[in-house]
Amino acid sequence: MKYEIVNLKTVTNEDEKLGGLTFIEAERDIPFAIKRIYCIYKTEENQHRGFHAHKKNWQLLFCPYGVIDIIITDGEEKRVVTLDHPSKGLVLYPGLWREMIWKQDDSVLCVAASEYYDSEEYIRSYDEYLQYRKEVGNDAEADTNTFEGGGWITSRK
Ligand code: T46
């Protein structure tokens, strides 16, 4: 299952009241160029979102405020990655089914995506997803990008 947990570069201030700063450089810190960024906010604890896979999109997910569980599966294996610090990012290759659970009120989910929005590249039915994986196999997670940057803290499992 192709995903990466990445350590996003973060600068903290000696004066904690000033807060922190996290930044991401496309194609250096993450293995794709960014075409789109969106955020999900004002979501209450225990809400579930997602329930889809992308056929084309590479995505970086991170949570600058709060705690969000990201559940990912390729239809066989399942992993839960908890985004609980602004410096923790999750890179999802295309072809993975994902669900998100808000573990804290008002947690913010930020997503950087490799493609412009296209509703046609979503799979929103889990049965359809399993059928897609059956037909396409591991090519669903095709590793077409090359990446020679740094900053990974753990690699795909
Ligand atoms: C994901 C999770 C975390 C757009 O017009 N452009 C966009 O770039 C996006 C992301 C959405 N929209 C419109 C399409 C829908 O009418 O916003 C509405 C809500 O989007 P959606 O139903 O896709 O929301 P979620 O929570 O199912 O999924 C979204 C992202 O689409 C998805 O990629 O990873 O948030």
Side-chain angles (χ1 to χ4, degrees), residues 4 19 32-33 90 110 151:
E4 316 272 357
F32 58 87
L90 173 63
C110 293

Side-chain angles (χ1 to χ4, degrees), residues 36 38 40 49-50 52 54 59 100 109 117 122 124:
R36 184 165 56 104
Y38 57 90
I40 297 175
R49 293 189 69 133
H52 60 256
H54 291 283
Q59 291 188 328
M100 296 104 186
L109 181 64
Y117 181 72
Y122 282 70
R124 290 192 181 268

Side-chain angles (χ1 to χ4, degrees), residues 55-77:
K55 290 183 187 168
K56 290 189 187 156
N57 258 289
W58 293 62
Q59 291 188 328
L60 166 73
L61 284 68
F62 65 103
C63 173
Y65 177 80
V67 183
I68 302 171
D69 276 350
I70 313 294
I71 301 158
I72 48 175
T73 181
D74 58 5
E76 290 178 3
E77 290 179 278

